[in-house]
Amino acid sequence: IEGLKANPLYIQIPLLINYQIHLRDRWSIDPFAGIYYAVGVCGRIKGASEKADYFGAEGVADRSDFGLRLGVGVRYGHGYLGLGYEIGLLNTCRVSSLKLRNSCFTLTLGYTF
């Protein structure tokens, strides 16, 4: 729907398989794949003239989401940089004539102690 802006917030539980491919010295590449389950915590949807809850009894979306997560990371020494993509498999929209699926790109920066 044109002109609508949604801002949902989820808590996500991923289950991933990761493989570490050692290159030389302290470098490695870490591809990963798996699934996730997410629960909507809060959110708002804004239209041209109205604001409404994204979840809840009168919201437009269900709180549960389930999907796939794919990506790759690069390690050098203690540092980590990862890129990933998530795509929801469930239609979370409560309006029967519409489809609403979550998707996002992720960027992960990390340091291993």
Side-chain angles (χ1 to χ4, degrees), residues 15-36:
L15 179 61
L16 301 173
I17 295 173
N18 183 356
Y19 186 76
Q20 201 171 54
I21 303 168
H22 295 282
L23 300 175
R24 51 169 126 122
D25 294 333
R26 299 165 39 166
W27 287 92
S28 70
I29 296 176
D30 302 3
F32 60 86
I35 58 174
Y36 72 86

Side-chain angles (χ1 to χ4, degrees), residues 4 8 10 13 22 30 37 47 52 54-56 58-59 62 65 69 75 83 87 89 97 100 103-105 107:
L4 289 180
Y10 288 89
I13 302 168
H22 295 282
D30 302 3
Y37 175 75
Y54 192 78
F55 304 110
E58 296 183 17
D62 292 327
D65 188 25
R69 182 185 237 189
R75 290 182 192 267
L83 296 171
I87 184 161
L89 299 177
S97 61
L100 180 63
S103 65
C104 74
F105 287 99
L107 173 66

